Amino acid sequence: MKRRSLLSITLASVLGIGSVLAYQSDAFASKLSDLQNQKKNVESKSSTIKSDINEKDEGIKEIQGKQNTLENELASLDIKIATTDEQIQEKQQQIKEAQQAIDKLKTEIGVLKKRIEERNQLLDQRARAIQTNGGSSVNFLDVILGSDSFADLLDRMSAVTTLVNADKQIIEEQKKDQAELEKKQADVEKKLKTLEEMQAKLQSMKIEMNQQKARKNQIMKELGKQKKQLENDKLSLEEEQSILAAQKSAIEKAIKLEKDRVAEQERLARQRRQQQQSQHSNSGGGSSSGTPPVSSGSFMRPAQGYISSEFGNRSLDADGFHSGIDIAKGGTVPIVAAGDGVVTRSYFSSSYGNAIFITHSVNGQIYTTVYAHMSSRLVGDSTPVHKGQIIGYMGSTGQAYGQHLHFEFYVGPWTASHSNAVNPRNYISF
């Protein structure tokens, strides 16, 4: 940290400004037009991401609207199903009552059948008597000749008439009872059939409504998945947008410094740059135990240790590609800035863990280095750093297996797709 303070004071005196950021002329001799182009690229990407975020928001709103409609439809279906259940129970009760009426009717039918049978027996007896008397149930000659008197004759004739009328009444009651029996059977069977048909219809309606409910619940489940995916995509876009905003801020500072640098006299700038390089060399990168030596060139190795995983294809990764280099070592291992630059992002990520993004400008070209899975971070957003400065310590935070530094190198700004990530070995000797 002492080296950082000394270097910052020296660079401020070199440029003659109170800026929080300073660039060495040999590492940050960037052209103003190149920096402005980089700024436009970042703004263009930010605008595209903003449009994508708005699109995700619209998609989330649309799905939410569909979910609200489905919830209303499901609530309505629940009410209809409950009502249908009540109607089914009502019909079941009516069927039960009809069945009880049928059982009662069966008893009545049994009585009627017994009565009809008794009458049939009586009619059979009458028929046999008619056959015995030669076709008539009464022998009128016997009635007349057997009478003791005229009064007795009248009594006998009255009795005969009563018997004949009784026979007629038996036949009429027989017909009436049979008709009543047939009517009762028809009425009960019709009522039972109607109730069973209504119950079957209600059961069918309930099955159809339950099927509709199942389909709508499945649609609701799918909408929930789509909504969750859109929300996750939106979070990723917002994170990328935040990083791009930080990169834009760093580039704007670089543009201001470039304008200030151009204004300085070349001779004074060269002399003071040599002085800064001398001080930088005297302060040394090896004074901190465990830090890698500061090498020549624009970039250096970010940590001590062995290479546990190279850049390129790797089965452990979801997409089958490892977009950086892993450096592993046990104990307390400091991590240093690979080059001079500005911290564009210092934060905790669910995947990167404790991570730091640094933007570098070398000869008009923007580079970005990423340091992930650190146990702790020592620098925050917009902090200027110099090559070899300790920015944190090696760890295993985020999605990591064992203590190591995951180091990424980008030509240009960092991108979520890692499309412009390159092998760090192209710029750094490991």
Side-chain angles (χ1 to χ4, degrees), residues 314-364:
R314 189 174 72 169
S315 60
L316 289 176
D317 295 275
D319 59 357
F321 192 86
H322 189 223
S323 56
I325 279 181
D326 290 348
I327 303 173
K329 187 177 182 181
T332 303
V333 184
I335 297 171
V336 301
D340 300 310
V342 179
V343 176
T344 52
R345 191 80 188 275
S346 177
Y347 76 123
F348 181 85
S349 164
S350 59
S351 56
Y352 278 140
N354 281 314
I356 291 176
F357 293 54
I358 299 177
T359 296
H360 315 269
S361 178
V362 179
N363 297 326

Side-chain angles (χ1 to χ4, degrees), residues 232-262:
N232 290 337
D233 291 345
K234 180 184 174 184
L235 286 175
S236 298
L237 289 169
E238 287 174 342
E239 182 177 357
E240 186 175 358
Q241 187 181 45
S242 176
I243 293 171
L244 287 172
Q247 289 176 341
K248 178 183 176 183
S249 176
I251 293 172
E252 287 173 343
K253 290 181 181 180
I255 290 174
K256 180 180 182 302
L257 289 174
E258 181 68 13
K259 290 179 179 178
D260 292 340
R261 189 192 64 79
V262 171

